[in-house]
Amino acid sequence: MPNTQYDAQMDKHVGGLIRIIPDFPKPGIIFKDITPLLADSKALDDCCQMIATYATDADYIAGIEARGFILAAAVAVISGKGFIPIRKSGKLPGKVISQSYDLEYGKATLEVHADLIAAGKRVLIVDDVLATGGTALAAIDLIEKAGLIPSAIAFLLEIAPLGGRSRIKTARPGLQIQTILAE
Ligand code: AMP
């Protein structure tokens, strides 16, 4: 179901630009490819403008590597706020704060630069897809570890059957979860 703030016509247009790639990157995964949407200037603009409406009470926009960067950086420019990269481990050159989380097989780690942003600032976290919610929860934990306050978390697409929203809600009942498209 589309977000209630979301115009149904826009939903149809934008939703049709998500390409389904079965068995990528491995068998059993139904990959949601957002590159057709990114290539459509109006859809990209509409989505980033919509996410920017969730940034009014944020001081910064954080994007989760890699596809979250694309949206978050555009939202940061639209809303006149700075951008914070949440990167996979080993990519940031300075002193970092890390947060590990479980994947289906093994573990992954997200990092932000320590001491880059003054403690207490509010951060809108942005990613492309909400699936099980593990990545999002790690990003929320990471932002908090850095002394910052997650103001909300926003996604282009929610794969609702995978339960990410309820997982985030259980862990952070007060946090607003915004999605542009859901299936
Ligand atoms: P999760 O931690 O399970 O919520 O997965 C979310 C992260 O993995 C996001 O950064 C997505 O880019 C990526 N992701 C997970 N599942 C998919 C999928 N089916 N299609 C595209 N990206 C996905």
Side-chain angles (χ1 to χ4, degrees):
M1 288 291 290
N3 185 306
T4 48
Q5 288 181 41
Y6 199 78
D7 178 82
Q9 207 180 345
M10 183 167 132
D11 179 53
K12 200 172 160 204
H13 174 61
V14 172
L17 292 170
I18 307 273
R19 190 166 56 167
I20 310 294
I21 313 267
D23 298 321
F24 181 88
K26 55 186 179 185
I29 305 282
I30 300 167
F31 193 83
K32 312 289 183 183
D33 176 24
I34 66 165
T35 59
L37 189 157
L38 297 177
D40 183 306
S41 63
K42 177 158 180 8
L44 178 61
D45 185 45
D46 284 348
C47 290
C48 293
Q49 297 285 351
M50 178 62 66
I51 296 172
T53 66
Y54 309 134
T56 47
D57 64 343
D59 301 302
Y60 292 89
I61 315 297
I64 304 175
E65 187 175 0
R67 289 177 296 276
F69 285 1
I70 301 163
L71 303 166
V75 171
V77 172
I78 289 168
S79 55
K81 311 196 180 210
F83 168 75
I84 302 172
I86 296 179
R87 298 215 63 177
K88 300 193 173 138
S89 67
K91 304 281 188 180
L92 289 168
K95 188 179 164 212
V96 295
I97 296 166
S98 304
Q99 179 66 45
S100 293
Y101 61 106
D102 290 325
L103 294 175
E104 198 180 348
Y105 305 107
K107 276 190 172 294
T109 301
L110 294 178
E111 295 180 340
V112 284
H113 266 146
D115 308 326
L116 181 70
I117 310 294
K121 294 292 183 188
R122 294 173 64 80
V123 179
L124 171 69
I125 301 168
V126 177
D127 203 3
D128 63 334
V129 172
L130 171 61
T132 66
T135 307
L137 273 178
I140 292 164
D141 287 344
L142 182 66
I143 287 297
E144 289 177 346
K145 255 192 195 177
L148 306 171
I149 301 163
S151 61
I153 185 156
F155 305 87
L156 188 57
L157 174 67
E158 174 179 0
I159 308 174
L162 295 182
R165 177 179 288 268
S166 57
R167 197 170 159 200
I168 298 170
K169 265 197 173 147
T170 303
R172 292 293 188 289
L175 186 70
Q176 284 220 23
I177 306 162
Q178 306 284 7
T179 56
I180 305 292
L181 300 164
E183 61 168 34

